[in-house]
């Protein structure tokens, strides 16, 4: 069937330029995710707010009786992340391919969540372990769950913004050394480098901010995400 005259098709194929912008935005969000994860791990009692694999491993070891490992923090982070991803999944279920108004809404919610956490923790720094720190952990994890689900909907290859295990697997398995085509190696390396750089920046912000380091890190991550939303929305509308 063809679209009626004067009616735009429901789905649009992204142009190469639009695709490059989306890749750049997802790489930028990977950097901000590194900041948020470093802030969570170092400032919220060894909890990852985006890397749920790390939380599952920490939780498993803690439940097995390993000394000094938290149970509440990883559990709250897992719950918050799943809640955020679930909410974003429902929002984006009927969204068209590529960047849409619903995509903007989801990423805006994620950036807003980070900024709300930043505002709260700059006013009242969390001290882990505590009920307040657990609330902060859950809120930040929920924001990053929304972001991860929205990034998954855009389906930029090798850039999930939250994990690098599959990226590293693809980098090695598809490399020329492994007899593969070696395609996409540059992007995969960038993902690893940017997540590492983001974690380093998060650690530096935590050190520089002292008691308010968590808030400072969340602020930088939220502002970075907000810039990505503005660029993505404008590019999506123009395309």
């Amino acid at each position: 069937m063809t679209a009626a005259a004067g009616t735009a098709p429901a789905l649009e194929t992204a142009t190469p330029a639009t695709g490059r912008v989306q890749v750049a935005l997802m790489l930028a969000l990977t950097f901000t995710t590194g900041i948020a994860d470093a802030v969570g791990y170092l400032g919220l009692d060894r909890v990852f707010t985006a890397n749920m694999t790390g939380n599952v491993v920490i939780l498993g070891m803690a439940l097995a009786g390993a000394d000094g490992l938290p149970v509440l923090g990883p559990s709250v982070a897992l719950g918050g992340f799943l809640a955020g991803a679930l909410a974003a999944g429902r929002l984006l279920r009927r969204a068209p391919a590529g960047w849409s108004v619903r995509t903007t809404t989801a990423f805006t919610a994620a950036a807003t969540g980070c900024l709300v956490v930043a505002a709260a923790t700059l006013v009242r720094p969390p001290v882990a372990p505590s009920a307040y720190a657990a609330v902060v952990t859950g809120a930040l994890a929920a924001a990053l769950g929304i972001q991860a689900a929205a990034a998954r909907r855009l389906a930029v290859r090798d850039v999930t913004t939250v994990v690098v295990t599959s990226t590293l697997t693809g980098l090695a398995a598809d490399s020329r050394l492994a007899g593969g085509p070696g395609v996409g190696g540059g992007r995969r390396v960038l993902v690893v480098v940017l997540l590492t750089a983001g974690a380093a920046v998060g650690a530096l912000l935590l050190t520089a901010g002292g008691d308010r380091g968590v808030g400072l890190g969340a602020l930088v991550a939220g502002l970075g995400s907000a810039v990505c939303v503005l660029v993505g929305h404008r590019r999506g509308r123009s395309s």
Side-chain angles (χ1 to χ4, degrees):
M1 294 180 64
T2 58
T7 302
L11 302 178
E12 296 182 6
T13 302
T15 64
T18 301
R20 287 193 294 271
V21 170
Q22 289 186 5
V23 170
L25 292 176
M26 294 307 99
L27 289 171
L29 288 175
T30 299
F31 175 78
T32 63
T33 297
I35 295 176
D37 251 349
V39 165
Y41 189 83
L42 297 175
L44 295 171
D45 196 24
R46 287 180 286 183
V47 174
F48 292 103
T49 53
N51 179 10
M52 292 301 114
T53 303
N55 283 329
V56 169
V57 172
I58 290 173
L59 184 59
M61 292 187 294
L63 292 175
D67 292 338
L69 290 179
V71 172
L72 178 62
S75 300
V76 170
L78 283 167
F81 188 91
L82 288 172
L86 175 63
R90 290 188 64 86
L91 172 66
L92 297 168
R93 185 62 56 200
R94 298 183 181 277
W99 196 292
S100 65
V101 172
R102 293 194 178 202
T103 309
T104 296
T105 302
F107 279 123
T108 299
T112 301
C114 289
L115 293 174
V116 168
V117 168
T121 52
L122 285 171
V123 172
R124 181 187 172 190
V127 178
S130 66
Y132 177 54
V135 171
V136 170
T137 297
L140 193 55
L144 292 168
I146 295 172
Q147 176 182 291
R152 180 176 182 271
R153 187 68 175 81
L154 285 179
V156 175
R157 184 177 179 182
D158 297 317
V159 191
T160 66
T161 76
V162 292
V163 295
V164 295
T165 302
S166 58
T167 303
L168 286 169
T169 302
L171 177 64
D174 294 340
S175 67
R176 296 190 184 278
L177 288 175
V183 177
R187 180 187 301 182
R188 289 163 174 164
V189 169
L190 272 176
V191 169
V192 177
V193 169
L194 287 171
L195 191 63
T196 303
V201 169
L204 291 173
L205 289 171
L206 199 66
T207 301
D211 291 342
R212 289 177 170 76
V214 171
L216 185 58
L219 177 63
V220 174
L223 290 175
S225 298
V227 171
C228 290
V229 173
L230 291 173
V231 174
H233 180 69
R234 183 175 181 180
R235 186 69 190 186
R237 287 173 62 88
S238 67
S239 63

